[in-house]
Amino acid sequence: MAQWTSAVGTAQLARLIASQQDRPAVPGARKAPAYRTLADGIRLLVLEGRVPVAARLPAERELAVALSLSRTTVAAAYEALRGEGFLESRRGAGSWTSVPAGNPLPARGLEPLPPESLGSMIDLGCAALPAPEPWLTKAVQGALEELPPYAHTHGDYPAGLPALRRMLADRYTERGIPTMPEQIMVTTGAMGAIDAICSLFAGRGERIAVESPSYANILQLMRAAGVRLVPVAMGAGLSGWDMDVWRQVLRDAAPRLAYVVADFHNPTGALASDDQRRAMVEAARSAGTVLIADETMAELRLDPEPAMPRRVCSFDPAGSTVVTVGSASKAFWAGMRIGWVRAAPDVIRSLVAARAYADLGTPVLEQLAVNWLMRTGGWEEAVGMRRVQARENRDALVAAVRRELPDWEFDVPAGGLTLWARAGGLSGSRLAEVGERVGVRVPSGPRFGVDGAFEGYVRLPFTVGGPVAEEAAARLAAAARLVGTGAGGGAEPPRTFVA
């Protein structure tokens, strides 16, 4: 019986492998044999989760033709992978990917490291900061005081607690976007919100237009739902959204949904202008596309300039075209799994009805905590602390990377939590792999793209500062030297680092 559970097509695997080679040659780097380059490429694809574990690979002859290599080269690469534990084969069943015993299974998203790993590893994978105390403790204490009346009920509120729905609606109204509580549904984080929206609007095989690059966890959520991702290239640097391109994609591909992060885009940090937002909404309306506006970074402006533009939903106040997603996780704390959707009342009713087959509702205590923060002014105080911390971390990280890696290219965003860096002609996938060996965890660019794009990039979050930022940059520089000289296999284990 075959041990594989999925299959990777020949053309797909060839595209993924080719994307790793689409970068400038590094001066002085040793040229590896063709079979070794191919084996390393497939191994990296497995380690990053871009080729699943237990996926059947193409036959040697088919892959050789697609890559313009000899069958002997492909056979040698497969044999090397078998020897390293990344491939298993059986006569008549083909070859399928695996991971060596003791290795953790790869993940396509950006899961946080377990706390016990943080002593020797600097984690730049997860763009999340510690809780802004004392506001977390105060919010939970306030929620506990308000809990007793709710404890006498069944505790299931599929649309969210009425008090929090009203609070969120009022906050939109105060920003000049008239909103009723009936236009709000509280969810378990922004991921829960987007999952519910995709389930409602886009079945398997439907098209969803996404920025390229875009947020890795959302891309993986959509892939898992079986939709077809239509990438729309972001402009260079912080220029953001090319509306001529967006209009063409929405017109020609007619996607059911489009997903955008207009406020300090993850990962590039770009901020869409009022004109771009207005044009995006008009293009989506003309194409009959529902536009998901992810506002999870909207409150994280770190510099006084530029002024914040209007919210995307202000150009569609009724919510017939724009479905807005917000969250407490980025602006407050990732452990506070409270998100929300703002949309037309009929959309909210449909989302709430579908929730009976999902998670039923969001924890009451956490909803009370967020409502307490917003009602008492604690939210503004906590978010202000978050901005100061993120700004200090950003400035420390930027200075350290510029000093240690002067050939890396990036634009410094005015807000958000991430820096999108071109890694000096090196492979982001190899930097990620070697970085773990020298004690720094960084996500490579292809996690944020579709079909292997952005191999030459990495994403750096504003989660460490001071001496830790300096050490992180030093370890990245060490990884870059090893990758650049082709000596990544000899990386030294990381030393324990205490902030």
Side-chain angles (χ1 to χ4, degrees):
M1 178 179 176
Q3 302 297 306
W4 50 273
T5 57
S6 62
V8 179
T10 304
Q12 179 189 6
L13 183 58
R15 283 197 306 272
L16 290 169
I17 291 170
S19 72
Q20 298 177 324
Q21 301 164 354
D22 186 20
R23 60 186 187 276
V26 179
R30 298 197 302 265
K31 184 174 178 59
Y35 85 89
R36 185 70 262 173
T37 298
L38 177 57
D40 287 347
I42 295 174
R43 175 172 53 83
L44 284 171
L45 292 172
V46 173
L47 286 172
E48 286 211 324
R50 288 188 282 149
V51 167
V53 175
R56 187 178 187 273
L57 296 187
E60 295 170 1
R61 188 187 303 278
E62 295 173 2
L63 188 58
V65 171
L67 296 176
S68 299
L69 295 172
S70 70
R71 184 177 177 181
T72 301
T73 297
V74 177
Y78 277 19
E79 182 59 34
L81 290 168
R82 279 189 286 269
E84 296 163 3
F86 286 95
L87 197 69
E88 296 182 26
S89 303
R90 180 174 300 163
R91 185 178 298 276
S95 299
W96 57 92
T97 56
S98 61
V99 292
N103 274 39
L105 288 174
R108 295 286 291 273
L110 304 177
E111 74 290 349
L113 279 176
E116 61 269 18
S117 301
L118 296 178
S120 60
M121 183 74 68
I122 298 176
D123 186 8
L124 298 182
C126 186
L129 291 163
E133 288 288 28
W135 291 107
L136 174 62
T137 298
K138 288 184 176 182
V140 173
Q141 290 171 342
L144 286 172
E145 292 175 1
E146 298 175 7
L147 181 62
Y150 295 94
H152 294 291
T153 73
H154 49 65
D156 287 336
Y157 297 88
L161 290 185
L164 182 55
R165 296 178 73 195
R166 187 162 50 250
M167 176 64 68
L168 293 167
D170 289 346
R171 289 173 69 85
Y172 279 106
T173 300
E174 289 167 4
R175 297 187 182 103
I177 311 164
T179 303
M180 304 178 294
E182 291 79 10
Q183 290 180 263
I184 300 292
M185 181 176 83
V186 181
T187 62
T188 307
M191 293 287 288
I194 294 170
D195 185 32
I197 295 165
C198 290
S199 297
L200 178 64
F201 285 103
R204 298 188 69 85
E206 294 272 11
R207 296 184 180 93
I208 299 182
V210 295
E211 297 145 329
S212 183
S214 187
Y215 180 33
N217 286 343
I218 294 298
L219 294 180
Q220 181 55 18
L221 181 155
M222 292 176 176
R223 290 188 187 101
V227 302
R228 297 163 62 187
L229 297 179
V230 182
V232 187
M234 295 284 286
L238 299 178
S239 62
W241 297 258
D242 185 329
M243 290 315 306
D244 288 337
V245 174
W246 270 98
R247 290 187 190 93
Q248 180 178 349
V249 169
L250 295 181
R251 182 179 62 248
D252 295 347
R256 187 71 184 90
L257 290 171
Y259 169 76
V260 298
V261 186
D263 300 287
F264 308 118
H265 175 260
N266 187 353
T268 68
L271 178 67
S273 67
D274 277 331
D275 288 343
Q276 288 172 321
R277 294 166 190 243
R278 181 183 294 103
M280 181 73 73
V281 174
E282 291 173 353
R285 184 181 293 119
S286 297
T289 297
V290 175
L291 182 64
I292 305 174
D294 184 334
E295 291 186 344
T296 53
M297 297 284 186
E299 299 201 52
L300 293 175
R301 183 175 67 160
L302 307 184
D303 295 335
E305 298 292 338
M308 285 299 293
R310 295 162 58 187
R311 297 293 176 98
V312 175
C313 58
S314 69
F315 300 101
D316 178 50
S320 58
T321 296
V322 177
V323 176
T324 301
V325 173
S327 172
S329 298
K330 295 298 185 185
F332 185 75
W333 183 48
M336 187 68 77
R337 304 305 304 162
I338 297 295
W340 53 87
V341 178
R342 181 199 179 276
D346 61 319
V347 172
I348 295 298
R349 286 193 294 270
S350 297
L351 289 170
V352 171
R355 200 167 192 181
Y357 309 101
D359 63 356
L360 295 179
T362 301
V364 170
L365 188 63
E366 292 184 25
Q367 292 186 73
L368 288 172
V370 171
N371 189 60
W372 183 93
L373 283 165
M374 291 181 173
R375 190 183 71 247
T376 62
W379 178 268
E380 284 68 26
E381 294 282 346
V383 172
M385 292 174 59
R386 172 69 77 239
R387 292 191 188 109
V388 170
Q389 185 180 16
R391 184 187 307 117
E392 292 174 350
N393 287 355
R394 179 198 64 182
D395 295 347
L397 184 66
V398 165
V401 172
R402 282 177 171 163
R403 182 178 60 253
E404 298 286 346
L405 294 152
D407 58 335
W408 284 26
E409 303 171 40
F410 52 84
D411 290 291
V412 182
L417 289 173
T418 57
L419 191 73
W420 184 240
R422 187 191 295 271
L426 300 177
S427 161
S429 298
R430 286 173 170 79
L431 280 168
E433 181 193 24
V434 176
E436 294 230 11
R437 301 185 208 165
V438 300
V440 60
R441 182 172 180 261
V442 59
S444 67
R447 288 177 177 261
F448 303 88
V450 177
D451 281 342
F454 308 109
E455 181 60 50
Y457 289 80
V458 294
R459 191 195 73 171
L460 306 176
F462 310 146
T463 52
V464 297
V468 186
E470 295 175 4
E471 178 68 13
R475 293 185 185 186
L476 281 173
R481 287 191 293 272
L482 290 167
V483 172
T485 59
E492 293 294 325
R495 61 184 183 276
T496 300
F497 180 77
V498 179

